[in-house]
Each structure stands twice: as C-alpha cells, then as structure tokens.
Amino acid sequence: MAIELELLAPARNADTAIAAVSAGADAVYIGASSHGARYSASNSVADIGRAVDFAHRFNAKIYATVNTIVYDDEISAVERLIHDLYRVGVDALIVQDMGVLRMDIPPIELHASTQCDIRDVAKAKFLSDIGFSRLVLARELSLSEIAEIHASVATPLEAFVHGALCVSYSGDCRASFATTGRSANRGECAQICRLPFDLVDGSGNALVRGRHLLSLRDLNRSCAIPDMVAAGVSSFKIEGRLKDESYVKNTVVAYSRILDRFVSESDGRYVRQSVGSVRAGFSPSLDKSFNRGFTSYFLTGKAPSKGMASIYSPKATGLKVGVVTSATPKVITARLHATLNNGDGLGYFTSAGTFKGFRLNRVDGDRLFPATPQSIAPGTALYRNKDKEFDDTVASAKTSRLISVDMCLRLIGKNRVVLEMTDERACSVAVSSDIADIREAVTPQEAPRRRILDKLGGTIYRAGKIVDIVGANFIPASLLASLRRDCINALDRAARTTYRYTYRLPEDRSAVFPHSALTFRDNVANRLAREFYMSHGTISVDPAVEVSGAKPSMEIPVMTTRYCLRKEMGKCLKESGVKDWKEPLYLVSGNIRLRLEFDCKSCRMNIYNI
C-alpha cells in the first residue's frame, strides 16, 4: 500500500488557508480563537469552518492549534472550544498540554505539538502509547535521530522543512517570560532571541558588540525531502502562521512541486494525501520570500560549517544586487547585476555593521532614487530584500486547484440519456433525463457535445476522459448543460458525505512516563495535566513557572539549545581547544543579562537569566 505524504502549510486566517490549499497544500494548520502558540494569529470557529469546507473538497485537512499550556480556570472554555472545532469539521488538534487528554472532549484526532519537546525515543514512544496520532518532532533532530524514532513507533512523524527557527528547543524556553513576563508557552513570545547582544567574558570584557548572537537563519530543507522520507517523515511542515498570503503561496507551490517530483519518481510507493492539480500562475522562488538566509540546521547531525546564525541582522537581508559607485542622500549610482524595479526594498550594512533598509522610489538605469534620504558610502554592497515585481506577480496570480473528472454519456433504452461522472477522489455519480422525441441528427454531434460537457469553468473540476456513446442521436444543448450541472452538484454532495475522518486513538493507561519526577520544564499548569502524569507513573510534579507564583530562579535555564555560540564563532572547545574566551560568558542587551553554560559532553548550551 502506498505511503501518503503531506505538505503542511501555515495560515494566519481562513483566506490564507484557502490560498494554501489552492496552491497545493495537503493540510493546513491554523490558530483557534484562543490557546494557540501564536497569540496574534487567532481565528473564529466560523472562519475555521469556512477553511474546512474548502479544504475537504480536495481531501485536504485542517488542523487547529490549541497548543499552549492551559490554566485551571480555563479548562471549561477550552473544552467548549474543542467541541466547537469538532462540530465544524476540524480534522485534528495540535496540542501541548496533557490536560487536554483528561478533558471532556469529542473523539477528535490529537497531534503532539513540537511544544511537547519530542527529541528522543522514550518521549516519542510514550506520546504514541497514550493516543497521539501524529508526533511533531523537534527541529533540532538529525536524520539518524528521526530514523531511530521512526523505528520505535508506528505513529506518523511530522518535521519542519522551511521557515523561522527558534533557537531553543520548543517548549523548553522561558526566556521571554523571565525577561518580559510574556510566555512562549502561552503564545506571547517576545522573541528576545532576535535582539542585538554584547558578548561579555568573565572579566567584563566585551568580546563582541551589538550582534544578534541568538538569531538563527531560516530553515530550508528543500533539497532533503528524499532523505527525510527515508528517515520516516511523512508530513513536511512549513513554519509561518504570522506570514502573509504571498509568502505562503510561494513556499507551498515550491515544496508541492518538489513533493510531486519525488512521488512521480517513486514507482507508486508514495502518493500525496490530497487530490487535484495546481495551476500556480507564477514560478516560485524560495529566495524571494522573507528569509534571514538559510540553514538545514542539524539535519546531518552536525552544525553546518558555514554557520547557522544571522548575527548581523534579524531581518531579511535578501540577495546582493549591486555595489554603490557614488551617492548623495537622494540619488544612488550603482553597478548592478540584477534588474531593479520601482518599489523594491533594498538595504545595506552600515559602517557600524547594522543593516539598514529603504524603499526604492524610482529606477533610472544605474541611478536609484530612494524614498527616504540615505547616507551610503561608495563600495557598499546593496541587497534586495523585497522584489516588488515578484511579490505583485504572486499576489495577483490566479492560482487554482482542479480535480480531474471522467465522464460517460450514454443512452438507456430509446429515450433516456445518462451522464456519469467519476473523479480522482473516487466519487462516482450519475444523472439522467428522458427525451420525449429522440431522433438522429443531421450533422455530427460528438464534438459539440464534448464542448458542452467540457464547460466546467467556475467549478473546482476539469474534464478528464470523456466517453460519448450516444452515437448520431441529437441531444439538446440545454439538456446536456443541465445534466452537467446536476452531475457536478451531485459530485460535490458525494464528496461531502464520503469524506473520511480519522479519530482519537485509545490511550494505553499502563504506559509509564519516562521520568518519575516532573520539573518546571514539563510545563504542567493545571490539575488535569498533573492527574494525567500521576496516572502514568510520576511521583512528583513541579508546576510550570507560569503558575508557580515565584520569579524564575537564576539557577533555572531559560533556554536549552543545540545551537552553540562557541561553535558558531569558531571557539568550540571540543574541536579547536581555543580557550581565549574567559568563562563565564554573558549576553547583554539593555537590562537583559544572560549567562551561558556550555555542556560539551551533550553538545548543548544552557542559558540562564541573571
């Protein structure tokens, strides 16, 4: 039996979800009205229902994120929310809080969010045993680590392939809460990892000044899809629930084509989860959507030799397009190796090493007219981080997705005409009508009938094979058009009534959690979650820092990262033995002061708020 592969797209709202499905997504994840890990990307249940209705026509799925920790006084509200999401047809919930498994909820499928911090076999096996239908793996895992988990569980695995990276293991970050009071586990991350920091040594000396030392590049694994499939990944997730529609369309079309090529070359071993062929209306380019530079992260098991951080800017710097030859505040002359357009976004690095962007008001050959005055020196490289022509093309593209439908037109007896339709969802319908006075036509009729049956504009269908065995008999055009419309409506009804849902799996009540004592790092924030863990073998449960009532201790790490600043800066103690940085090392930005601890044995970095 062929293995289904899924391209999972983000959506900040229902319109973006519909655009993602139209562009080729097999599934979309979208924030519910509350308790999603992106607080500013919330949606009403009614809007999510609108996205569901559209997606299901292509056998695409909609997953709702309810993946923050839940407080005791919110349990009833979350239960009602889940019931509402189930009622409008949401396919699955992406959750972090184990208290959800003890709530009074319908049998909706559950996916373990990346916030569950799934980085080893023991955690993966436990979550599989307690009834999760999907495990969203930590971004930091290598192919071999993914393969090890895949060999240990039968549960489908989901992994990120593109988009922004958190520097900390997801679900194991309290930096925002400790420094600003805004909790990432509540969907309110302040993204302090994108701030500029000074790196200070144990004697107070500044080793690096004003660099974005915790700001990672964006993930891009577009060349690693076959390797990820071989390791056991079946769902490929694009990050970006705060991104605009053009970003989502561009990335979805790009990755959908990659998956299509892989599937077509797999000799039937793999298929796409949804159906329908996409007409994008533009040529995708991952380089031209927002990115901070790209990295494959730890997919090979090691940090990339060229680094993985975007230390000079947390913004999109884009691609180099030229070098300034002369400049005044209002006119820049440059030696260009790309065609620029009015409205492009350009930028450059100042002498202080910061990235400054501006909008290009007008282009006249090699002369550039910025919308705001610039002070830029000759010899400075120019970068384009917004390609207006490309963005406009993507935004205006008539992207569509169509389902192929085969037709058969035939007669029953002497005066009853039947139109049958079968589509690629395996839906089959037939409608018929009597003709009071059927007679032989004077002229050939097959081509005119084909043209009428082929008129499927305004629907989600396109004509596939058309078989006409009516012969030389005359069928009125109006009757054929009516049969076509009735058949399409019947197909729509058949698809709705035969759509296949999957449901929550049973919980193995004998499964034992891998650790007998839970700490703040397990994010237990309500009584139901505590009861859940106690029923699975834990002896003691410390509360999450968000509900403990105590200020996070300076001895509690606020981040745990596989990214190592020493490694990134060429100062790895294991590889080079360089010891010219006197520890402890600190990151300082305004009133934020963080202490770095290097766990060389595990190749991890712990960060403490002091």
Side-chain angles (χ1 to χ4, degrees):
M1 183 176 179
I3 297 173
E4 290 187 345
L5 300 181
E6 173 188 275
L7 178 59
L8 177 56
R12 66 185 306 166
N13 54 40
D15 289 338
T16 306
I18 290 169
V21 173
S22 297
D26 299 295
V28 171
Y29 63 105
I30 186 171
S33 54
S34 67
H35 294 85
R38 297 293 183 274
Y39 180 79
S40 56
S42 300
N43 295 275
S44 70
V45 171
D47 275 349
I48 294 174
R50 181 161 62 89
V52 167
D53 290 343
F54 183 84
H56 285 183
R57 301 179 79 183
F58 300 93
N59 286 347
K61 298 184 177 183
I62 298 291
Y63 308 139
T65 59
V66 188
N67 59 338
T68 67
I69 56 175
V70 180
Y71 296 157
D72 274 319
D73 60 357
E74 299 170 337
I75 290 174
S76 295
V78 172
E79 287 177 338
R80 289 193 298 272
L81 173 62
I82 294 173
H83 277 275
D84 290 342
L85 293 169
Y86 180 77
R87 189 177 62 252
V88 298
V90 166
D91 293 277
L93 299 179
I94 303 173
V95 302
Q96 171 189 8
D97 196 313
M98 294 300 113
V100 172
L101 280 77
R102 290 292 179 268
M103 291 182 185
D104 178 15
I105 60 173
I108 191 168
E109 183 176 293
L110 300 179
H111 295 180
S113 170
T114 188
Q115 297 295 119
C116 292
D117 190 15
I118 308 170
R119 60 174 111 163
D120 58 37
V121 168
K123 185 74 163 289
K125 191 173 187 312
F126 174 75
L127 293 171
S128 176
D129 289 344
I130 61 174
F132 281 99
S133 299
R134 172 85 61 82
L135 306 180
V136 188
L137 301 178
R139 295 169 174 88
E140 292 82 356
L141 296 187
S142 67
L143 289 169
S144 61
E145 290 167 324
I146 293 171
E148 184 182 9
I149 291 174
H150 178 61
S152 303
V153 300
T155 307
L157 304 180
E158 178 182 307
F160 286 88
V161 291
H162 199 88
L165 283 167
C166 291
V167 68
S168 176
Y169 282 95
S170 295
D172 198 10
C173 182
R174 288 154 293 280
S176 177
F177 182 73
T179 57
T180 71
R182 294 167 53 185
S183 170
N185 283 318
R186 293 283 290 175
E188 299 175 335
C189 179
Q191 293 192 323
I192 70 162
C193 53
R194 301 297 182 189
L195 294 175
F197 287 97
D198 292 341
L199 178 64
V200 179
D201 70 10
S203 299
N205 300 311
L207 305 174
V208 179
R209 290 190 181 276
R211 295 289 184 243
H212 302 269
L213 298 172
L214 296 179
S215 180
L216 298 185
R217 300 176 190 175
D218 285 5
L219 191 65
N220 183 335
R221 291 172 171 170
S222 56
C223 295
I225 299 299
D227 293 332
M228 295 179 72
V229 172
V233 176
S234 57
S235 177
F236 301 87
K237 187 171 194 171
I238 298 169
E239 165 67 26
R241 277 196 292 128
L242 298 180
K243 293 294 195 293
D244 61 25
E245 187 175 305
S246 291
Y247 177 95
V248 172
K249 284 172 63 176
N250 184 36
T251 53
V252 167
V253 170
Y255 277 92
S256 184
R257 290 182 178 180
I258 292 169
L259 276 179
D260 281 344
R261 285 196 298 271
F262 176 79
V263 166
S264 68
E265 296 168 0
S266 72
D267 296 325
R269 293 179 58 202
Y270 300 96
V271 296
R272 294 290 294 274
Q273 179 178 280
S274 60
V275 301
S277 58
V278 173
R279 297 172 181 173
F282 66 95
S283 296
S285 174
L286 295 174
D287 288 331
K288 292 186 177 182
S289 281
F290 180 97
N291 69 84
R292 302 173 178 90
F294 290 127
T295 177
S296 61
Y297 213 27
F298 290 97
L299 198 61
T300 64
K302 295 182 179 180
S305 58
K306 294 184 179 180
M308 61 179 67
S310 177
I311 68 173
Y312 295 104
S313 176
K315 304 174 184 178
T317 56
L319 301 176
K320 185 178 177 180
V321 292
V323 177
V324 175
T325 56
S326 64
T328 66
K330 294 185 178 181
V331 182
I332 301 168
T333 304
R335 184 171 63 254
L336 302 173
H337 51 258
T339 301
L340 302 183
N341 298 285
N342 300 345
D344 279 354
L346 301 185
Y348 58 94
F349 287 98
T350 67
S351 57
T354 59
F355 186 78
K356 184 177 182 181
F358 63 92
R359 185 174 64 84
L360 189 56
N361 198 39
R362 184 165 63 89
V363 182
D364 183 8
D366 62 355
R367 300 205 311 156
L368 312 177
F369 298 83
T372 54
Q374 301 296 315
S375 177
I376 182 169
T380 301
L382 290 174
Y383 299 84
R384 177 166 58 188
N385 56 10
K386 177 179 175 58
D387 187 329
K388 187 176 187 301
E389 183 178 54
F390 177 78
D391 290 348
D392 288 349
T393 299
V394 175
S396 62
K398 302 297 183 182
T399 303
S400 63
R401 187 171 184 174
L402 299 174
I403 296 172
S404 178
V405 56
D406 294 335
M407 307 181 204
C408 179
L409 187 69
R410 60 187 178 86
L411 291 175
I412 296 179
K414 294 183 178 181
N415 62 351
R416 189 163 188 83
V417 63
V418 179
L419 178 61
E420 299 171 343
M421 288 188 179
T422 301
D423 66 28
E424 55 186 302
R425 298 168 299 193
C427 292
S428 294
V429 296
V431 296
S432 62
S433 179
D434 289 333
I435 302 177
D437 183 23
I438 193 166
R439 62 187 186 278
E440 186 172 328
V442 176
T443 59
Q445 294 292 297
E446 187 172 344
R449 286 198 293 258
R450 181 177 294 272
R451 284 195 296 270
I452 293 170
L453 295 177
D454 196 34
K455 289 183 178 180
L456 297 175
T459 74
I460 62 167
Y461 303 99
R462 63 178 177 85
K465 183 179 180 181
I466 299 178
V467 176
D468 184 343
I469 51 177
V470 173
N473 292 300
F474 174 76
I475 309 295
S478 59
L479 178 59
L480 283 174
S482 178
L483 289 173
R484 183 197 67 223
R485 288 192 298 269
D486 290 346
C487 229
I488 289 297
N489 290 335
L491 266 185
D492 287 342
R493 291 194 298 272
R496 285 195 297 271
T497 56
T498 60
Y499 181 81
R500 291 178 300 161
Y501 283 96
T502 50
Y503 298 95
R504 180 177 171 182
L505 298 175
E507 178 181 337
D508 180 355
R509 297 281 175 154
S510 67
V512 178
F513 189 69
H515 308 290
S516 60
L518 271 64
T519 71
F520 63 92
R521 302 177 82 161
D522 294 289
N523 299 318
V524 177
N526 59 72
R527 57 179 174 79
L528 294 183
R530 185 177 188 279
E531 292 169 6
F532 168 85
Y533 283 112
M534 297 293 282
S535 72
H536 283 286
T538 59
I539 298 172
S540 63
V541 178
D542 289 340
V545 295
E546 290 85 353
V547 297
S548 66
K551 183 178 179 180
S553 166
M554 289 189 294
E555 301 306 314
I556 293 176
V558 295
M559 284 190 196
T560 303
T561 81
R562 195 167 188 174
Y563 164 80
C564 176
L565 189 55
R566 275 190 169 275
K567 170 70 174 177
E568 184 72 16
M569 305 299 287
K571 303 290 184 178
C572 176
L573 294 174
K574 292 173 67 176
E575 293 183 1
S576 63
V578 176
K579 298 182 179 180
D580 57 339
W581 280 5
K582 183 179 180 181
E583 295 190 17
L585 298 179
Y586 302 92
L587 293 177
V588 181
S589 181
N591 61 356
I592 297 175
R593 187 175 175 87
L594 307 172
R595 177 173 62 86
L596 306 181
E597 174 187 85
F598 301 94
D599 179 0
C600 293
K601 181 178 180 180
S602 301
C603 206
R604 301 289 185 273
M605 183 172 71
N606 294 315
I607 302 176
Y608 299 82
N609 177 48
I610 59 172

